[in-house]
Amino acid sequence: RNGIYPLMNFAVSRPHALPRALSQPQEDPQKAKTPTPEPFDVETRKVVQMQCNMELNEDKSQWHLTLLLILEDKLHRQLSYDLLPTDNSKDLATELVHYGFIHEDDCEKLAAFLESTFHKHRSQA
């Protein structure tokens, strides 16, 4: 008569009221002034293949970098970034390690790869 799953028999006739706290706990002012940075996951897989593409934006003022990384477990990771004139390959590779996109051991290899790509594309332009 009610079917296999009588969901209407389990509906609450009125919503449950949540208890409210009378006063908010005071935070330590020292903790409020110095936020702690959230930890990032460390990448454990190493990069087995790298591909990089650089293109000038439509207004020809900035380079757009697209980086394809293939990791040990065949995961493809595609990252893109608008390069600033102050960016260099070593800082970009270090940042990718910091945010957990690549393994720490791949930092130097990726920095060298990016440097050769920068040199090749910027010399053509």
Side-chain angles (χ1 to χ4, degrees):
R1 172 177 161 198
N2 288 331
I4 222 168
Y5 299 106
L7 295 178
M8 64 184 170
N9 292 340
F10 297 107
V12 178
S13 59
R14 62 178 184 199
H16 295 288
L18 297 175
R20 291 186 170 192
L22 296 176
S23 64
Q24 296 293 332
Q26 294 292 334
E27 288 188 24
D28 185 12
Q30 184 66 16
K31 288 182 182 175
K33 291 181 183 176
T34 57
T36 57
E38 293 190 23
F40 294 101
D41 291 336
V42 175
E43 180 60 66
T44 58
R45 300 165 294 192
K46 292 193 177 181
V47 175
V48 294
Q49 187 177 355
M50 296 181 266
Q51 294 177 1
C52 186
N53 186 28
M54 284 179 61
E55 298 174 347
L56 277 172
N57 285 350
E58 292 152 0
D59 58 358
K60 307 275 187 211
S61 65
Q62 195 174 28
W63 286 97
H64 182 76
L65 172 75
T66 304
L67 183 64
L68 176 66
L69 305 173
I70 301 175
L71 304 179
E72 289 175 329
D73 62 349
K74 307 293 186 228
L75 177 91
H76 289 63
R77 180 169 284 160
Q78 182 173 340
L79 307 167
S80 61
Y81 179 71
D82 288 327
L83 288 171
L84 301 173
T86 58
D87 286 332
N88 65 47
S89 58
K90 178 68 176 157
D91 291 343
L92 291 175
T94 304
E95 192 172 329
L96 291 177
V97 170
H98 173 75
Y99 289 111
F101 287 111
I102 63 171
H103 192 279
E104 187 176 0
D105 293 346
D106 292 326
C107 185
E108 292 296 324
K109 182 171 62 171
L110 181 64
F113 177 72
L114 287 174
E115 187 60 38
S116 67
T117 303
F118 291 173
H119 182 68
K120 181 178 89 174
H121 283 85
R122 288 180 176 159
S123 65
Q124 290 175 356

